[in-house]
Amino acid sequence: MADIRLTDLNKSYGAIHILKDVSLDITSGEFIVFVGPSGCGKSTLLRSICGLESITSGTLEIDHAVVNEVPPSKRGIAMVFQSYALYPHMSVYENIGFALENQGLPRAEIKQKVEKVADMLQLTPYLTRLPKALSGGQRQRVAIGRAIVRGAKVFLFDEPLSNLDAALRVQTRMEIAKLKRSMPKTTMIYVTHDQVEAMTLADRIVVLQAGRVEQVGTPMELYDRPANTFVAGFIGSPKMNLITGEPAARHKAHTLGVRPEHFELSAATGEIKGMVEYTEVLGSDSFLYVATPQGLLTVREEGKTAFKPGDTVHVTPAAALVHRFGEDGKRLA
Amino acid sequence: MLEQLVSALVTVVLGVGGCLAYFYGSNILLDRLFPASASNDMAAVRNLKIQSSVRPWLFLGPALILLTVYLIYPVFQTIWLSFHDKAGTSFVGTANYSWAFNDSQFRQSIFNNFLWLLVVPAACTFFGLVIAVLTDRIWWGGLAKSLIFLPLAISFVGASVIWKFVYDYRGEGQEQIGILNALIVWFGGDPQVWISLPFWNNFFLMVILIWIQTGFATVILGAALRGVPEDTLEAATIDGAGPFKIFWRIMVPQIMPTIIVVWTTITVLVLKVFDIVLTMTNGQWDTQVLANLMFDWMFRGGGDFGRGAAIAIVIMLAVLPIMIWNIRQANAEQKGGH
Amino acid sequence: MWQRIRLEPSRFALHFAVLFIVALWTFPTAGLLVSSLRDKDQIAASGWWTALSTSEQSSQARTKGNADQVEKDGRFVIAGNLFEGDSAHSSLSAWGTNVNKPGANLPGATAELGSGQTLTVNADGSYEWGSATAFPDERGRRVFYVSSVPPRFTAENYETVLFSEGIGRSFVNSLTVTIPATIIPILIAAFAAYALAWMKLPGRGFIIAVIVGLLVVPLQMSLIPLLKLYNATGFLSKTYLGIWLAHTGFGLPFAIYLLRSYVAGLPKDLIESAQVDGANDFKIFRRIILPLSFPALASFAIFQFLWVWNDLLVAIVFLGSGEDQLVLTGRLNSLLGSRGGNWEILTASAFITIIVPLIVFFSLQRYFVRGLLAGSVKGG
């Protein structure tokens, strides 16, 4: 059991303010993903929870105990680094067993635990190998094995898939999801800049920008009810269209957010008139880039499209599915 | 012989063991005094904090103490001594310095050191560059570089024996066994006593240091040359530059920082050069240099520490600009990120 | 890269130029090695570059005396061999009985010596000295000859210097100085380097700047104060401990500088991962930093080893000149004074002093070069 509570957490390096009043409640067993553009402070936040960065002000509680000053090894956490941080001169066995060795466990117990984890992660044949003799996916599993073997209550992942190629990334993503299911009581916090990873893995997503929490919610909450234009633009692919001016005013909003899949297209009539500038036909769906007085809009059409560049089209937002934002960028009702 | 080996071995083990014992002992003591696995968590956290504030000084302590005793304290002490008499007891003001500047040997040393500074770094850098460029373009260049590099492993004293043999002189009519005189005779010249030929003998001593240090310059400059982006050379070729123009206008400017490093490194070495002069001539025949002169005054007539110290300060002053430059470079590097 | 840009006229000139430079650089050392293996008389008689060719040498020998004469066909004859007991000579090219004309006769010729005496000397050194009357003298006759001496190589010079000139003893002394003076600074510098690279400590930047400054402080600045200090304390004066500490102190700036830049370049993740795994700094140092820093440690070890082994100044200031403390460089320096003309002694001694560095250098050249580069190439 490990609840994590962050209250008004601040972190600055000299004059540079990295984290600003971050408050967050994480319930035991949750899979939380921190997502945001690079430089938003998500890694710093993770490292603060880990204890690798000190907190400038505010409190961090794990299981209702303030741990601001507690060194990483005493926080009951494990971390999977972006580079995996496997010790290059130690065998897989030694890598997994290093933390246990530091706890002063007897040899036999270390052996038993390491072998159990290795078995779980299909690493048994590789125990005597050095990390350099492993494939990318195997290294990833060793890194996870190191976290598992410690029986930590909280797992922290710092962009663990960014070093893998695209195919392996999808596969490993599924393995991490499976791992989470097999450890329902373990809290996992995962940092990524890839919103697909966030959407597919998270119980709840924390969207960060410039050191602030923009929104916290389940993937679908974020998709369906983005709290502001930043989240609206960040979650979903391709990006949500953010339209200002007359079409927005028609919906009583300063900014109107319409996802590409929430438009209706017509050659003859519609709310916004424009010209097809460019099309991308992917087979299962097609994307049209429509030049309008309000800027370039992205429109998704199922299957193939009949429109060609140069055609005049009218697009109409599906009224029930539009997002309305005020002048301050916040969601209206 | 066996007994001597055993006693040497025991001494060695004691020395190294003592050092190891300090690091292990002090760290284990720290772990024991402030255990990380204390019964209550708060105590453990406090102990860990104490550990992490004390441990850096355990790690750094011996180094700081040794640096202070062996380098920092002596610098100040030498400055102080240079204003005192030969025993270091009574203040004499700048008397040691005014003595030095009126002393013919000191003037000779300054002049010779100046010659060394002018010739040796330039020659090493020049030969280093030429050899690096040439050896880079042939298949056995690695072997050639190794052989040129080899003297770097030889002591100055060993090198002096080697070169004394090269410069060996036998009276006219006898067969010359020194290769230099043998060559001179073979070409029909008269054999010379090279190391006692005033003024020119300085250059014969410099040859030794050049012979030793060129390998250093070659290796460093060779690595820098290989780091020059190939496309800049190709672009220059396309622009119609010839090989010499490419070398001087494209390659050399790009490795300028390395050339400066090589130059200054050898300059510092030249200022400290002592062994070669001591073993070849001991400063006779107008070959005296500052480092050897200073050594002389340390022990001559029971030692004159005031004069010795004054000479050391002069050497230090010559090194000072390089030192300041280095520190600036290092600071800039640190600010520029890890 | 640069290979592709042809420097005409010819590749031949290039190879020749490099060959010439290499020859220039290796010749002096080759001379030393070759001479140290030559017969000591030959070293003094001819240049080392002629070591492989047979040389002409004038010698003299004495025939046997009247005790060995035999009577044959009414003549008295003394026969023998001039080369007896001297295997170095192979053949005789000329001989004579007058010191001023050692090459008067060819081998095999018979010379009239007057009073009915004749002498025949053959190329192999055998002679026959005949006389009509019995030889009166107990002592034989002097014969001068020019013989060609085949090249002779020997390990005698090495035996001499190792066992009678004290080089063997000095070799052990050098090792006694060098090994701890290499290992101790490595240990001390490695710990300091880690502290300066990765540990939180106040004044880190300042300490690093001071160390960079100390890199170029001339040794001469330290000698007098340390000599005074050593004399005052007593227990360090002229002891191995004293010189180990001196070499350690002088070697530390470079050691810390070199190791710190390497250790600081290790991946941050590794160290943080070990922290999360519950290792304290001492453990991180032992289990992570030391094994991973091996290349840098090796580089510095080679440097320090060569520097200490080759050092003369520190040794003559801080160690005594007695048998049990004189190191190789010091011994060689004193031999240069006392045995200035004995090249067989000097060359063999010099070669013994340089052989260890050469072995270290050739076997570990890779690390040596890496260390040089790490210590020197900045921003280049």
Side-chain angles (χ1 to χ4, degrees), chain B residues 42 52-53 78-79 82 102 104 107 143 147 151 169 173 211 217-218 253 260 270-271 278 296 326:
Chain B
M42 286 315 289
S52 65
S53 59
T78 301
I79 295 172
S82 74
N102 289 312
S104 66
R107 288 176 169 192
L143 176 71
L147 288 170
Y169 167 80
W211 178 71
T218 306
I260 293 173
V270 165
L271 282 168
L278 177 78
D296 242 24
N326 277 356

Side-chain angles (χ1 to χ4, degrees), chain B residues 154-161 209 212-213 269 273 275-276 279, chain C residues 310:
Chain B
I154 297 176
S155 63
F156 287 144
V157 188
S160 297
V161 173
L209 192 58
I212 292 175
Q213 286 298 319
L269 187 79
V273 74
D275 318 39
I276 293 177
T279 46
Chain C
N310 289 338

Side-chain angles (χ1 to χ4, degrees), chain B residues 5-21:
Chain B
L5 276 174
V6 170
S7 86
L9 203 66
V10 170
T11 332
V12 167
V13 169
L14 279 180
V16 176
C19 184
L20 273 176

Side-chain angles (χ1 to χ4, degrees), chain A residues 47 50 52 72-73 77 79 81 83 85-90 94 98-99 101-102 146 150, chain C residues 200 267-280 283-284 287-289 291-292:
Chain A
R47 292 165 55 81
C50 184
L52 294 171
S73 58
I77 44 145
M79 176 122 162
F81 288 84
S83 64
L86 301 185
Y87 310 120
H89 57 297
M90 295 187 194
E94 288 171 301
F98 188 60
E101 185 196 315
N102 292 329
R146 277 204 316 205
R150 295 181 40 195
Chain C
K200 285 191 189 112
K268 189 180 180 194
D269 282 2
L270 279 186
I271 288 133
E272 293 185 335
S273 175
Q275 282 170 4
V276 176
D277 275 347
N280 66 26
K283 184 139 199 184
I284 293 175
R287 293 292 305 275
I288 313 286
I289 303 294
L292 292 181

Side-chain angles (χ1 to χ4, degrees), chain B residues 4-5 8 11-12 15-16 19-20 23-24 27 31 55-57 59-60 62-63 66-67 69-72 74-75 77-78 81 87 131 133-134 136-140 144 146-155 157-158 161-166 168 170 175-179 182 211 214 216 219-220 223 225-226 230 233-234 243-244 246 251 257-258 261 268 272 274-275 278-279 291 294-295 298-299 305 308-309 312-313 315-316 319 323 326-327 330 333-334 338, chain C residues 1-7 11 14-15 18-19 21-22 25-29 31-32 35 43-49 169 172-173 176 179-180 183-184 187-188 191-192 194-196 199-202 207-209 211-214 216-230 242 244-246 248-250 252-253 256 260 264 280-282 286 310 312-313 316-317 329 332-333 336 343 346 350 354 357-358 361-362 365 368-369 372-373 376-378 380:
Chain B
Q4 175 201 347
L5 276 174
T11 332
V12 167
V16 176
C19 184
L20 273 176
F23 282 112
Y24 266 88
N27 277 285
D31 290 342
R55 208 183 304 271
W57 302 107
F59 279 27
L60 209 48
L66 284 170
L67 286 175
V69 173
Y70 283 86
L71 291 165
I72 298 170
V75 167
Q77 175 76 358
T78 301
L81 279 172
I131 294 170
V133 169
L134 293 183
D136 225 23
R137 308 172 68 232
I138 55 175
W139 59 269
W140 52 284
S146 282
L147 288 170
I148 291 167
F149 196 37
L150 183 142
L152 204 55
I154 297 176
S155 63
V157 188
V161 173
I162 291 174
W163 282 89
K164 234 180 177 166
F165 195 43
V166 169
D168 187 72
R170 298 279 156 126
E175 183 154 5
Q176 297 295 333
I177 65 166
I179 193 161
W211 178 71
T214 295
F216 163 75
V219 167
I220 306 284
L225 283 176
R226 270 193 297 281
E230 186 184 344
L233 306 182
E234 285 170 347
F244 287 101
I246 290 178
M251 297 175 91
T258 311
V261 169
V268 171
K272 297 192 269 190
F274 154 79
D275 318 39
L278 177 78
T279 46
M294 186 236 159
F295 181 78
M298 270 177 76
F299 296 108
F305 287 168
I313 296 293
I315 301 176
M316 182 70 202
V319 176
M323 180 165 152
N326 277 356
I327 293 178
E333 245 166 69
Q334 279 203 334
H338 223 53
Chain C
M1 48 167 258
W2 173 240
Q3 285 93 323
R4 272 185 249 138
I5 299 158
R6 299 240 173 269
L7 183 70
R11 306 286 294 165
L14 176 66
H15 282 272
V18 176
L19 200 64
I21 295 170
V22 168
W25 247 261
T26 43
F27 242 58
T29 322
L32 183 83
S35 297
I43 295 178
S46 61
W48 60 269
W49 52 93
R169 175 76 225 222
V172 176
N173 294 342
T176 313
I179 293 172
I183 299 174
I184 295 172
L187 276 173
I188 291 178
F191 276 100
Y194 174 69
L196 290 174
M199 291 170 100
K200 285 191 189 112
L201 95 160
I207 297 174
I208 295 171
I211 287 168
V212 171
L214 292 177
V216 294
V217 168
L219 211 54
Q220 279 78 9
M221 286 297 281
S222 294
L223 293 180
I224 294 176
L226 287 178
L227 200 61
K228 284 180 69 127
L229 191 73
Y230 273 29
W244 293 339
L245 291 176
T248 303
F250 300 144
L252 271 181
I256 297 175
R260 195 200 79 90
N280 66 26
D281 282 307
F282 187 52
R286 274 189 304 133
N310 289 338
L312 172 68
L313 181 57
I316 51 183
V317 174
T329 47
L332 194 56
N333 185 42
L336 265 172
W343 284 112
L346 289 176
I354 69 175
L358 289 189
F361 172 79
F362 270 115
Q365 194 179 357
F368 187 57
V369 169
L372 269 186
L373 293 177
S376 308
V377 180
K378 290 182 222 142

Side-chain angles (χ1 to χ4, degrees), chain B residues 243-281:
Chain B
F244 287 101
K245 192 151 198 177
I246 290 178
F247 179 73
W248 286 112
R249 296 288 305 279
I250 310 293
M251 297 175 91
V252 170
Q254 292 196 65
I255 60 164
M256 213 48 190
T258 311
I259 293 182
I260 293 173
V261 169
V262 169
W263 198 291
T264 51
T265 307
I266 298 176
T267 300
V268 171
L269 187 79
V270 165
L271 282 168
K272 297 192 269 190
V273 74
F274 154 79
D275 318 39
I276 293 177
V277 176
L278 177 78
T279 46
M280 291 299 281
T281 61

Side-chain angles (χ1 to χ4, degrees), chain C residues 9-10 56 60 84 96 98 137 155 204 230 239 294 309 348 362 371:
Chain C
S10 73
E56 298 267 289
Q60 53 170 298
E84 237 161 50
N98 186 327
D137 296 333
R204 194 165 83 166
Y230 273 29
T239 61
F294 178 78
W309 184 272
F362 270 115

